[in-house]
């Protein structure tokens, strides 16, 4: 997308020069996600010359600006927008003029004059300022882009009416000052992304490449120098039309497979817009599949690393069986609390390694019962060890398979062959929804279907509340990873049908995956009908109280 904050910073002054001396004379839409703005030296409402066009595409999956030489407006299926902003007749003039006179004045007014173009500090927005304190603001927030009209500080009209919360936005609140000094970098624990949230995916990838290109491991000062050099590039850039992650990208840094370079931001925006939207169905689907395979490969590599570290930790530390033996051999040395209970921790001699060992105990159990508890855990250790070994082997085999599938996809040249291969190898598989419905609307929740049962997954704490409180009914099944933060998961009830065991297990795997226990070997998951879940006043977002529950032990799985 070319709605990157740093690109908008460069685009604003370029547009300011283009729009100087022009008026906002027309605005219309011929497509649900597209709006055209016309600026010109106007003689009258519909009598103007030297027009400058801005075509904005504002889809959840793509937002951008095009500045075409001309736009042919269709005679049908187009609608005028932002009439109040275009019409310069003041309210008090309307009161003073008879209706027929007011219409004549309106028809001959030349549209509101452009006062300037501005960006907003650390925010992906671009505003065209008009006379009489009117403002047109392009908002490029993730999958919620929109065009808003302000009068003063207040919203008076939206292009996308479905984004109702945009009505509450305040123009003066868009600037977002952030301390981006060295001192703030230190205070943030040398996590530069906290200071520069507007860098985005491309710039962060560039910084990673610069760090990786150095021969030695760098420290905070060297990383800070790279960040400052990157900022200089972003403030005085060239523009690169490149291919990154198998799709056209407009970058302010030289990265990826560079196709063209530009000095002019408007020309760069046009070329990128045309390149991105000019992709055919085959190119889009092939790029999506290649990105999906690469994402799965990175996940497999990460899981191998996690599981190998767990295996190393297990070998270096005492096993549960050994801890049980150590406790039983030292029962007389463990201090007794009230009722012959145990302390929370005890330090004893590990006679296997001839060194001290600190053992965690459950205070409500006696030392002997604690030893028995460790013996019970030991029975699962062999299973867990076998599981970890199997996981590493499976992920290694998965990487080999993914690499082969990627090579196969690269060689495919037709859409028919691509779709046949995708189906034969089940590349899309049992994946949660991407957040966008086929009609372009945004899905509220991640969704998976198993044996015709719908499984809904909350996206964050607020979304969890929405799912549990508004979209779940008493007979739905509610799941959540035990004792950790994570997504609420709902299996929708079907009248007269019990919940199949395999559906419950699949939903539990998802609840485990979308939680802080994602990397655990096994995860306990709460399962209960929604009617036993309530949210008293005063609880934080996403927090609930479960009054009756059972649990299931599963392997976290996406």
């Amino acid at each position: 997308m070319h709605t990157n904050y740093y690109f908008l910073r460069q685009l604003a002054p370029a547009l300011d020069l283009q729009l100087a001396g022009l008026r906002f004379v027309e605005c219309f839409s011929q497509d649900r996600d597209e709006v055209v703005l016309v600026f010109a030296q106007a003689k009258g409402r519909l009598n103007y010359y030297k027009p400058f066009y801005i075509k904005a595409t504002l889809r959840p999956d793509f937002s951008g600006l095009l500045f075409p030489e001309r736009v042919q407006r269709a005679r049908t299926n187009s609608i005028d927008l932002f009439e109040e902003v275009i019409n310069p007749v003041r309210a008090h003039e309307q009161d003073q003029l008879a209706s027929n006179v007011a219409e004549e004045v309106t028809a001959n007014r030349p549209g509101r004059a452009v006062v300037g173009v501005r960006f907003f500090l650390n925010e992906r927005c671009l505003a065209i300022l008009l006379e009489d304190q009117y403002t047109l603001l392009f908002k490029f927030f993730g999958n919620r882009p929109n065009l808003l009209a302000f009068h003063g500080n207040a919203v008076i009209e939206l292009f996308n009416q479905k984004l109702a919360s945009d009505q509450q936005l305040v123009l003066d609140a868009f600037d977002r000052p952030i301390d981006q000094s060295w001192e703030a970098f230190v205070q943030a624990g040398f996590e530069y992304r906290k200071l520069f949230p507007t860098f985005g995916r491309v710039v962060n990838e560039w910084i990673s490449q610069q760090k990786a290109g150095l021969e030695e491991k760098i420290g905070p000062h060297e990383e800070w120098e790279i960040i400052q050099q990157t900022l200089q590039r972003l403030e005085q850039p060239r523009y690169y039309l490149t291919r990154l992650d198998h799709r056209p990208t407009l970058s302010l840094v030289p990265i990826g497979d560079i196709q063209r370079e530009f000095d002019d931001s408007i020309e760069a925006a046009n070329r990128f817009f045309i390149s991105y939207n000019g992709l055919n169905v085959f190119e889009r689907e092939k790029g999506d599949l290649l990105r999906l395979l690469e994402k799965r490969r990175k996940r497999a590599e990460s899981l191998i690393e996690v599981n190998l570290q767990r295996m190393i930790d297990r070998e270096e530390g005492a096993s549960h069986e050994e801890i049980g033996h150590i406790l039983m051999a030292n029962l007389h040395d463990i201090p007794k609390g009230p009722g012959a209970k145990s302390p929370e921790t005890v330090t004893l001699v590990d006679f296997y390694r001839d060194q001290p060992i600190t053992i965690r105990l459950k205070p409500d159990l006696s030392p002997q019962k604690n030893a028995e508890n460790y013996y019970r855990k030991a029975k699962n250790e062999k299973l867990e060890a076998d599981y970890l070994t199997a996981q590493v082997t499976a992920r290694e085999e998965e990487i080999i398979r993914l690499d082969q599938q990627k090579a196969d996809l690269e060689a495919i040249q037709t859409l028919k062959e691509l779709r046949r291969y995708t189906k034969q190898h089940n590349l899309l598989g049992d994946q949660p929804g991407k957040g966008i419905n086929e009609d372009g609307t945004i899905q509220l929740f991640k969704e998976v279907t198993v044996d015709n049962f719908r499984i809904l997954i909350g996206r964050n704490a607020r979304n969890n509340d929405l799912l549990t409180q508004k979209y779940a009914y008493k007979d739905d099944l509610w799941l959540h990873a035990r004792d950790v933060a994570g997504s609420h998961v709902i299996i929708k009830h079907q009248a007269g049908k019990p919940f199949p065991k395999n559906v419950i297990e699949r939903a539990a795997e998802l609840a485990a995956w979308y939680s802080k226990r994602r990397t655990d070997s096994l995860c306990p998951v709460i399962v209960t009908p929604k009617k036993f879940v309530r949210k008293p006043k005063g609880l934080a977002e996403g927090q609930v109280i479960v009054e009756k529950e059972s649990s299931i032990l599963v392997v976290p799985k996406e």
Side-chain angles (χ1 to χ4, degrees):
M1 313 301 171
H2 63 269
T3 52
N4 174 277
Y5 164 68
Y6 290 94
F7 181 79
L8 295 177
R9 285 188 63 154
Q10 306 301 324
L11 183 61
L15 274 182
D16 192 47
L17 289 174
Q18 290 286 340
L19 296 177
L22 304 186
R23 292 178 176 271
F24 181 41
V25 295
E26 191 176 2
C27 184
F28 60 89
S29 177
Q30 303 178 126
D31 185 272
R32 180 183 61 191
D33 299 312
E34 186 177 277
V35 60
V36 176
L37 293 76
V38 185
F39 300 84
Q41 297 176 14
K43 294 180 178 179
R45 176 112 192 282
L46 296 177
N47 182 16
Y48 46 81
Y49 58 94
K50 293 185 179 179
F52 182 82
Y53 298 99
I54 300 178
K55 180 186 286 188
T57 295
L58 301 167
R59 302 195 308 266
D61 63 324
F62 174 82
S63 58
L65 301 176
L66 178 69
F67 309 98
E69 290 290 329
R70 63 184 62 85
V71 175
Q72 185 67 41
R73 182 171 183 178
R75 294 184 178 181
T76 59
N77 298 323
S78 69
I79 182 172
D80 289 309
L81 300 170
F82 298 101
E83 287 286 283
E84 180 181 341
V85 184
I86 296 170
N87 174 19
V89 176
R90 281 68 165 177
H92 69 274
E93 290 179 325
Q94 290 279 20
D95 294 338
Q96 293 172 4
L97 297 172
S99 60
N100 60 333
V101 177
E103 289 176 7
E104 182 180 350
V105 171
T106 298
N108 288 283
R109 288 281 187 174
R112 285 196 165 82
V114 176
V115 176
V117 180
R118 64 160 297 192
F119 63 90
F120 294 85
L121 196 60
N122 294 307
E123 201 59 273
R124 287 180 297 163
C125 295
L126 188 73
I128 300 173
L129 311 178
L130 306 172
E131 63 180 336
D132 302 326
Q133 295 186 321
Y134 283 86
T135 302
L136 295 166
L137 182 135
F138 293 98
K139 176 179 75 75
F140 300 111
F141 289 5
N143 58 9
R144 297 174 61 84
N146 208 352
L147 173 62
L148 303 86
F150 286 84
H151 187 213
N153 244 343
V155 175
I156 58 172
E157 190 172 346
L158 303 176
F159 170 62
N160 186 347
Q161 301 289 338
K162 292 181 180 180
L163 301 180
S165 61
D166 284 358
Q167 290 278 6
Q168 310 306 317
L169 294 174
V170 177
L171 188 63
D172 285 348
F174 276 91
D175 278 317
R176 186 165 51 136
I178 300 174
D179 185 355
Q180 296 175 336
S181 65
W182 165 259
E183 291 74 18
F185 182 51
V186 174
Q187 190 172 0
F190 306 112
E191 294 286 341
Y192 77 86
R193 297 192 188 198
K194 295 179 181 178
L195 276 61
F196 302 96
T198 52
F199 272 178
R201 176 181 58 86
V202 176
V203 177
N204 287 328
E205 176 64 23
W206 164 262
I207 292 175
S208 295
Q209 289 185 10
Q210 301 311 297
K211 292 193 295 185
L214 299 177
E215 293 181 1
E216 299 179 0
K217 185 176 181 180
I218 65 172
H221 286 89
E222 291 79 11
E223 182 173 13
W224 184 248
E225 181 61 29
I226 291 173
I227 292 167
Q228 298 308 304
Q229 292 172 0
T230 301
L231 285 170
Q232 291 177 13
R233 279 186 173 273
L234 297 175
E235 294 296 342
Q236 297 178 330
R238 285 181 64 77
Y239 308 100
Y240 302 91
L241 179 58
T242 182
R243 289 192 70 85
L244 195 63
D245 295 335
H246 310 286
R247 59 185 166 194
T249 301
L250 183 59
S251 171
L252 278 66
V253 292
I255 190 173
D257 181 14
I258 297 172
Q259 311 290 309
R260 292 189 61 180
E261 297 183 28
F262 307 92
D263 293 316
D264 180 74
S265 58
I266 290 179
E267 182 185 6
N270 284 342
R271 287 298 176 182
F272 166 71
F273 189 102
I274 293 168
S275 179
Y276 191 96
N277 288 286
L279 291 176
N280 57 37
V281 174
F282 168 70
E283 291 171 321
R284 288 184 187 277
E285 290 192 12
K286 185 174 179 177
D288 288 343
L289 287 168
L290 287 169
R291 284 192 296 276
L292 177 63
L293 295 184
E294 288 173 1
K295 180 180 177 181
R296 290 176 179 172
R297 194 185 197 285
K298 288 180 180 178
R299 186 173 65 226
E301 289 175 340
S302 176
L303 289 173
I304 287 174
E305 184 177 347
V306 169
N307 288 331
L308 286 175
Q309 187 59 52
R310 288 180 180 275
M311 293 168 71
I312 292 170
D313 291 343
R314 286 171 50 82
E315 291 196 8
E316 290 181 347
S319 68
H320 287 127
E321 183 177 26
E322 289 173 344
I323 292 174
H325 291 333
I326 293 169
L327 284 174
M328 290 301 294
N330 293 277
L331 289 177
H332 58 284
D333 291 330
I334 301 174
K336 304 293 192 300
K341 301 301 183 183
S342 304
E344 291 187 2
T345 62
V346 62
T347 299
L348 301 171
V349 176
D350 179 354
F351 44 76
Y352 291 98
R353 297 162 185 83
D354 193 23
Q355 62 185 24
I357 182 173
T358 299
I359 300 172
R360 295 179 61 183
L361 304 175
K362 290 188 176 182
D364 57 335
L365 299 179
S366 67
Q368 186 167 349
K369 289 292 185 182
N370 269 290
E372 292 175 6
N373 196 37
Y374 274 104
Y375 286 135
R376 277 197 301 274
K377 290 181 179 179
K379 294 179 181 179
N380 292 326
E381 273 190 329
K382 180 61 169 63
L383 294 175
E384 186 177 9
D386 292 343
Y387 167 78
L388 291 173
T389 301
Q391 280 290 295
V392 170
T393 301
R395 297 304 177 188
E396 289 173 340
E397 292 173 352
E398 181 184 5
I399 287 175
I400 294 172
R401 184 176 70 254
L402 289 170
D403 287 343
Q404 182 60 55
Q405 290 173 347
K406 183 180 176 183
D408 293 343
L409 285 179
E410 293 280 10
I412 291 175
Q413 298 298 320
T414 67
L415 181 62
K416 183 177 180 180
E417 187 182 358
L418 180 71
R419 288 180 171 173
R420 183 189 303 119
Y421 186 88
T422 301
K423 185 175 181 180
Q424 287 175 346
H425 294 81
N426 193 29
L427 295 188
L428 298 179
D430 176 22
Q431 298 294 316
K434 292 185 178 181
I436 307 295
N437 292 315
E438 290 183 1
D439 62 359
T441 57
I442 299 171
Q443 287 182 351
L444 282 175
F445 317 106
K446 296 184 180 77
E447 183 172 336
V448 171
T449 301
V450 180
D451 289 352
N452 295 321
F453 278 82
R454 293 176 63 211
I455 301 173
L456 305 180
I457 306 162
R459 297 179 181 274
N460 51 48
R462 180 175 296 181
N463 195 239
N464 282 340
D465 278 346
L466 185 67
L467 173 59
T468 298
Q469 303 303 316
K470 300 294 185 182
Y471 286 84
Y473 300 98
K474 66 176 184 177
D475 292 328
D476 293 341
L477 210 57
W478 186 91
L479 301 93
H480 193 284
R482 183 182 292 279
D483 299 331
V484 292
S487 293
H488 295 193
V489 175
I490 293 292
I491 308 176
K492 299 300 292 182
H493 172 70
Q494 296 185 25
K497 293 184 179 180
F499 294 102
K501 182 179 178 182
N502 68 301
V503 174
I504 296 173
E505 288 178 348
R506 184 72 189 98
E509 290 171 350
L510 291 166
W513 178 264
Y514 290 103
S515 78
K516 294 292 186 182
R517 292 186 183 271
R518 174 180 292 195
T519 59
D520 286 6
S521 302
L522 296 170
C523 172
V525 175
I526 295 170
V527 182
T528 188
K530 161 58 179 63
K531 62 186 175 183
F532 296 122
V533 180
R534 62 186 182 90
K535 185 180 181 71
K537 288 184 179 180
L539 288 188
E541 287 184 345
Q543 289 187 341
V544 294
I545 290 177
V546 181
E547 296 177 333
K548 184 179 179 182
E549 67 186 65
S550 58
S551 64
I552 180 174
L553 199 62
V554 296
V555 176
K557 181 181 177 184
E558 185 178 14

